[in-house]
Every structure is written in C-alpha cells, then in structure tokens.
Amino acid sequence: MAEKIAKEMFQPAQVQEAEAEKISRPSLTFLQDSWIRVRKNKAALVSIIVLGIIVLMAIFGQYMSPNLGPNKSVNYQNTPYASLPPKVPGFDNLPFWNGKQNIGGTEVDVYKQKNVEEGTYYWLGSDTLGRDQFARIWAGTRVSLIIAVVAALCDLIIGVTYGLISGYVGGRVDNVMQRILEVISAIPNLVVVILMLLVLDPGITSIIIAIAMTSWITMARVVRGQVLKLKDQEFVLASLTLGESVPKILVKHLLPNISGVIIINVMFSIPSAIFFEAFLSFIGLGLPAPTASLGTLINDGYKTLQVLPYMVLYPSIVLCVIMIAFNLVADGLRDAFDPKMRD
C-alpha cells in the first residue's frame, strides 16, 4: 500500500520531467531555418517582393506600353510626338502625370499643342526622338540586370574556384595565387574597361568581360579565408582518413559549409555591377546608342535635365530601388545565415 502511494506521489514529477525533456521545436534543415528568419525580416521580405516585380516588369514591361505594337521596337522613333511629358488616363488632375508642362511660366498642355491623337498617352513621357520612355526604361532595366547577373555568375564560378584551391592547397601555391590577386586588384576597373573597348567592340560583351575580370577578387579572398578556417576541422580530417579525394572534399564538405557566405557576396555583387554599368554608360564608355540601359537613359536625361526632368527622374528612381532592394535582401540573408543570430 505504501509503495502504491509513493508511486502516485512521484508520478506527476516524473511526467513533468519527461515533458520538460521533450523537444518543442520541430527539426529543421539549415535552409528552412534560414527562410524562417528571412521572413521575420520585413525589410528583406518586402525587398524580395519588389525585386520580383521589377524582374517581371523587365521581362514584360515594354510590351505593356500602349504605343508599341507587335512590329515596333523600343527604339521606334515617332518624331512628331517628341518631348511629350508623362500623361496617364484618369490622372488628369495630378501634376507630373497630366501631360502639362511649365513653359515660360505658363502651364501648357503639350498634347493639345502638338495635336496628339485622342487616346494616345505616354505614361512616362517620350524622349527628344519620340521614343516611349516607359518601354525603354524596362528594356534598359532588363539589359542592366542581364549584365549584372552574368557578371555575378562569373564572379561566383571564378572567385569560388580560385578561393577553394588557394585556401585548401596552401603553402607556396597559396602564396603565388595571392600575389596574382594583388597584381590584378592593383589595376583600376576603369583602365580594364578602356582596354576592353580597344580590343572589343563597345557593347554588352565588353562590359561583362570588364566587370568579370576584376569583380571576382573579393569573392576569392572571402572563400579562401573561410576554407582556411574549415580545412583543419574534424569532418575534413575524417574524410581524408577515409580516403576521400580532394575534389570531393571541396565540393561535398567545404562548399556547403561556406554557401551562406557565397550567397551573401553574390547578392552584394549584383547591385555593384548594375551601378558600375550605369556609371560607364553615364560617362559614355558603356553601351552604344540606341541600346537602352539605366545608365544610357540617365545620360540622355541629364542632357535635358532643366527642360525635361522626367527623362532622368524615372530611370534614376528604378536604379535606386534596385540598389536598395538588393542591399536589403543581402543584409537579410547575412542575418539569416549567421548562426549567432538564431533565436
């Protein structure tokens, strides 16, 4: 009887202890846990949505313009409708989108002045050659994104491979490879671009090569530092003891453990490449006319800034939004992949 009473007395304590020992959080993979933390970062989540919208508009935006038919490109020139201010149906009472312009201190309806057909609207205005700015901005955004993504892929492939080999092999090989990096990094990017323009024709290819030739250096150094920290860990030594080959150790063991750092650096390199392309096009070393990119559009708008400010305003806004969104996403990924930030 006493034994039964003792069991009943101690049973609740044992149950509480068992409940306390249970794992209340479900088992998650590294990527699942990182995605949960990204979703908690509102700025990064909103930036991902904004970037998704910009990518969709870069692909399909130019086809949404009411002034470009199936047989007209973004370079189609309609000179009678040149220098028209933005006009959006239904926003006639709002400034900047009512088709009116201040000329000599008087607000003038430019569409009526140029006898534009009824029902013809340029949502973001037209340039000095009568080209639709809305279509050209999104076509230029697509070109800028293509250049940035291709340059980031070159950065990823060359930089990661170089950093893995340099960090893992070490010794004299590492010393020689790092001296090569120092020589390459000592050459300014602008000099490399000018040399590429002398060798190749100005265009997307020459800009991508110029950006890719020097942008991978930062990635290589970051990857090398991570490999030097991990290559003496127990799991690497165990793989060597079991007879695993060096390429498999690099790909199967080291690369997954530094994937977070790689992704973060890629996300930071994309806006840098976009800005560098815009800078080159702005100073006249980028894409030749009539190819549209954010840099060439800002350059064209800068020439008529005092008369047609909308030509430089809208591409500048798109460029700033892309830069800010990519940087916020990169910050969010950095916090998500950092084990110290885990809740």
Side-chain angles (χ1 to χ4, degrees):
M1 186 69 177
E3 201 173 331
K4 184 177 180 182
I5 294 173
K7 284 184 179 179
E8 290 178 355
M9 289 177 63
F10 286 104
Q11 187 175 4
Q14 292 174 353
V15 171
Q16 289 178 4
E17 187 178 351
E19 290 292 331
E21 298 261 343
K22 287 184 179 179
I23 299 175
S24 60
R25 185 173 179 176
S27 178
L28 299 173
T29 64
F30 175 74
L31 291 178
Q32 288 173 336
D33 185 60
S34 300
W35 172 240
I36 290 174
R37 280 181 281 168
V38 168
R39 285 190 300 178
K40 291 181 181 179
N41 190 327
K42 302 302 181 184
L45 193 60
V46 171
S47 298
I48 291 173
I49 296 172
V50 170
L51 286 176
I53 295 173
I54 288 176
V55 170
L56 289 176
M57 291 301 295
I59 298 173
F60 304 108
Q62 71 180 76
Y63 307 109
M64 297 170 59
S65 173
N67 302 304
L68 294 183
N71 299 323
K72 296 179 182 178
S73 69
V74 294
N75 299 322
Y76 172 74
Q77 300 178 10
N78 191 359
T79 50
Y81 292 170
S83 303
L84 288 175
K87 186 174 184 179
V88 181
F91 293 88
D92 297 336
N93 296 325
L94 291 178
F96 304 111
W97 287 336
N98 55 8
K100 296 180 180 179
Q101 187 176 354
N102 194 325
I103 301 176
T106 305
E107 196 174 56
V108 178
D109 191 336
V110 183
Y111 283 73
K112 289 183 179 179
Q113 188 182 59
K114 294 194 174 186
N115 297 320
V116 178
E117 293 182 7
E118 190 69 27
T120 300
Y121 302 96
Y122 285 85
W123 292 341
L124 298 183
S126 62
D127 63 7
T128 53
L129 296 176
R131 296 175 294 191
D132 190 348
Q133 278 291 95
F134 179 84
R136 285 179 62 79
I137 284 173
W138 295 119
T141 303
R142 181 171 66 241
V143 171
S144 297
L145 288 175
I146 288 173
I147 292 174
V149 170
V150 174
L153 288 176
C154 296
D155 181 9
L156 180 67
I157 296 171
I158 301 173
V160 171
T161 305
Y162 198 95
L164 283 173
I165 296 173
S166 177
Y168 187 82
V169 176
R172 185 175 296 177
V173 174
D174 180 39
N175 193 21
V176 172
M177 294 179 75
Q178 292 308 304
R179 300 297 80 73
I180 294 173
L181 280 186
E182 291 175 2
V183 171
I184 297 175
S185 61
I187 305 173
N189 289 345
L190 198 57
V191 175
V192 176
V193 172
I194 295 173
L195 292 175
M196 287 297 101
L197 294 177
L198 292 176
V199 176
L200 303 172
D201 293 332
I204 297 178
T205 304
S206 59
I207 292 179
I208 290 176
I209 293 175
I211 295 175
M213 282 185 67
T214 54
S215 64
W216 58 272
I217 295 174
T218 303
M219 176 72 78
R221 286 175 172 166
V222 171
V223 171
R224 173 184 174 269
Q226 294 295 316
V227 172
L228 287 174
K229 185 171 66 175
L230 294 175
K231 72 175 185 178
D232 292 329
Q233 297 289 326
E234 287 80 3
F235 66 93
V236 177
L237 298 176
S239 300
L240 283 172
T241 305
L242 294 173
E244 198 81 82
S245 63
V246 172
K248 285 187 177 180
I249 292 175
L250 294 176
V251 175
K252 290 175 62 177
H253 299 291
L254 291 177
L255 192 58
N257 280 279
I258 62 175
S259 59
V261 177
I262 293 173
I263 293 172
I264 293 167
N265 277 273
V266 169
M267 293 302 296
F268 276 118
S269 67
I270 290 177
S272 298
I274 292 176
F275 184 78
F276 188 60
E277 180 277 325
F279 167 72
L280 292 177
S281 299
F282 182 75
I283 64 176
L285 294 176
L287 300 175
T291 307
S293 73
L294 293 177
T296 57
L297 292 173
I298 294 173
N299 184 27
D300 293 341
Y302 175 75
K303 299 173 183 176
T304 58
L305 177 61
Q306 295 182 345
V307 182
L308 307 172
Y310 63 86
M311 285 186 59
V312 71
L313 175 64
Y314 295 115
S316 299
I317 290 175
V318 173
L319 178 62
C320 292
V321 169
I322 292 174
M323 298 283 292
I324 293 171
F326 267 112
N327 280 282
L328 289 177
V329 171
D331 286 334
L333 291 176
R334 181 180 58 195
D335 295 340
F337 289 147
D338 188 358
K340 298 177 183 177
M341 300 294 293
R342 184 168 182 170
D343 297 334

